[in-house]
Structure formats: C-alpha cells, structure tokens
Amino acid sequence: MPVSLRLPACLALIAMSLPVMPALAAESHVPPQIEVQAEASIDVRPDRATLNAVLVEATPLVEMGSERDDDATPQARKQLEKRSTALIDALRKLGIDDDHLHAGNLSVRNEQQLQQHDQNAPLLERVIIERNLDIDINDLTSLPDIIDALFANGIDRLAGIRYDVSDREGVEDRALQKALLRARHKAELMAETLSVTLGDVERIQETRAPVFRPMMMATARSEQADSATYTPGTISVDAGVLVNWALGASSFHTN
C-alpha cells in the first residue's frame, strides 16, 4: 500500500527535524547546611500582681421542694452589694483608684446539700450569690496591707494572686534573643568540631513564641507578724528557634 510505505519515512523526517535536546542534568546539588534548634529560658522578678477576691452570700437552707421566702434572695443580694461597697471604699483608702478595681457581675446558683446524720431525709437547698473583685497592684510592697484589708472587710475567699511584669514585650525580646544566641553557639560548636565553615543564615523560624510560665504564690508566716509575708519568687519565660546555616565554600569537597 502506498500510504503504509510512506508512513515510516514521514516519522523519520519528523524525528530528524526536532532539535537535539541535551541530556537532563543530574539532580541539582543542594549546598550542605547545619540546622540547629535551640530553646532558652529567662527568670524575671514580677513587679505587679492581680488579686482575685470573692464575696459570697447565701439564703437560708430549706428542704428541697418546700415553699421559699420570696424575700430571701433579694435580701442576700442587698447584703452582698453592701459588703462590696464597703470593701471597695476600704481599698480606695489604701490608695487603689477605680482604674485598678474591677468588680465582676453577680453570679447566682443553686446549691443542694444532704442533711447531716440522715441520708434518707429530703435534700436541702439554698441560693448562692457571689461577686468577684479583681485588684491590680503596681507596687508589690503594698500587697500584704491590701490582703489584710481584704480579710478585715470579710472576703469569703482569696481565689489567687497572679504575678506579672509590666514590660512584657521587653522580657519576651530578651528570651527570644537568648534562644538565638544559643542557636548560634550550638552551630559554631558543631562547625568547629567537624572542621567546617559556617556560611550565611538560610532560614530562621520561631518554634516556640515566648511564653510566660505560671508561677504559684509562695507564702511564709512570721511568728512576730500578724499577716503573711508574700514572696513572689520569679517568673520563667521560654522561647525557641530553628536556624539553618549554609556551609562556607571551604566546606565543599570536590572530586
């Protein structure tokens, strides 16, 4: 057949007309690198604190399902408001202004209790009303006097003391800088030990943003003091980085 005889020749002509492509190069060479992960921690002394005080009022216990006194809850709330006002006035006299006092909303809940010595008796119930008061303190030397004032004015619970530092950004920067210096030290140590030369930094990654680790309140009571002496200790701030260095030209081995 004429067509079948000419087809292979056409294919050969097409193949001859295509440009000659050079052979694919071997996989591109990736310069050797040193990858270093480092973490660092710094300890700082707090210079401020926040106290959380709780005031509580409760209605009388009654048997569950029995008729309640309609005035009991409003009276308990009124008493709680009165105590809150007295406590805030006492704190103002200590020099704490309203910008550093944060009174939370009232919290109302029902509480049930078993009657003592008779588990088969009906449950008892009452209404619990609470109010939280946060107090910001910028002078830690005044902390013992403020705590004394809280208990002298009848708070029901000191929920906790949260210590902090006013210059958080500065402290975070110091922790991050320490982690970077630690990474560079590790890279230089590895390069010196392996007889290679560090080149430019290729990549920097923050693996752990600076974090303030919580600190528990430490207390000690002196036999000669009427109030506790509160020692804040230190706050630990952690940071972590990942850094890649290229190796210098002198580190490459040629065949």
Side-chain angles (χ1 to χ4, degrees):
M1 298 292 180
V3 174
S4 61
L5 290 174
R6 287 195 296 269
L7 185 58
C10 292
L11 292 175
L13 290 173
I14 293 172
M16 292 175 62
S17 65
L18 293 174
V20 179
M21 301 296 293
L24 292 176
E27 185 178 352
S28 59
H29 177 69
V30 178
Q33 294 183 347
I34 290 180
E35 182 177 275
V36 176
Q37 185 168 352
E39 294 186 352
S41 176
I42 64 173
D43 295 329
V44 294
R45 292 192 66 83
D47 58 8
R48 62 183 307 275
T50 300
L51 299 179
N52 178 245
V54 184
L55 294 171
V56 182
E57 285 290 337
T59 61
L61 284 167
V62 297
E63 288 189 0
M64 189 172 178
S66 64
E67 186 175 349
R68 297 185 182 182
D69 182 356
D70 293 337
D71 294 332
T73 301
Q75 288 175 357
R77 177 177 177 178
K78 184 177 179 180
Q79 179 63 19
L80 184 63
E81 295 286 2
K82 181 179 179 180
R83 293 174 59 201
S84 298
T85 300
L87 176 58
I88 291 174
D89 288 342
L91 293 172
R92 286 171 178 160
K93 291 178 181 178
L94 290 176
I96 301 177
D97 56 41
D98 291 344
D99 290 338
H100 295 88
L101 294 173
H102 312 284
N105 294 327
L106 293 179
S107 172
V108 182
R109 59 184 173 86
N110 288 324
E111 181 183 78
Q112 297 178 356
Q113 293 184 9
L114 292 171
Q115 295 193 37
Q116 294 183 353
H117 311 301
D118 190 356
Q119 296 184 353
N120 296 322
L123 287 174
L124 300 177
E125 63 177 357
R126 61 180 177 177
V127 176
I128 304 293
I129 306 176
E130 295 185 358
R131 164 160 279 174
N132 286 268
L133 179 66
D134 287 333
I135 308 150
D136 296 330
I137 303 171
N138 294 326
D139 179 10
L140 293 185
T141 61
S142 64
L143 184 58
D145 291 338
I146 293 173
I147 293 177
D148 284 346
L150 292 176
F151 285 105
N153 284 271
I155 67 165
D156 296 283
R157 187 169 70 251
L158 183 61
I161 303 176
R162 301 189 301 272
Y163 291 101
D164 204 345
V165 293
S166 54
D167 184 19
R168 266 181 169 258
E169 289 187 1
V171 173
E172 290 173 356
D173 289 347
R174 286 166 51 195
L176 182 58
Q177 184 180 41
K178 186 175 180 180
L180 289 168
L181 291 173
R182 175 63 179 158
R184 185 173 67 182
H185 172 75
K186 290 174 68 175
E188 290 173 347
L189 178 62
M190 287 190 288
E192 180 182 357
T193 303
L194 299 176
S195 300
V196 297
T197 304
L198 288 180
D200 295 332
V201 173
E202 298 289 337
R203 182 169 71 101
I204 305 175
Q205 179 181 344
E206 189 178 45
T207 58
R208 181 175 186 178
V211 175
F212 281 71
R213 282 190 286 172
M215 181 189 57
M216 299 298 293
M217 177 187 69
T219 63
R221 181 174 294 275
S222 170
E223 294 180 357
Q224 299 178 351
D226 293 331
S227 62
T229 300
Y230 294 88
T231 56
T234 59
I235 296 176
S236 295
V237 186
D238 303 324
V241 295
L242 179 69
V243 186
N244 284 40
W245 275 269
L247 293 182
S250 60
S251 302
F252 293 94
H253 300 285
T254 57
N255 295 329

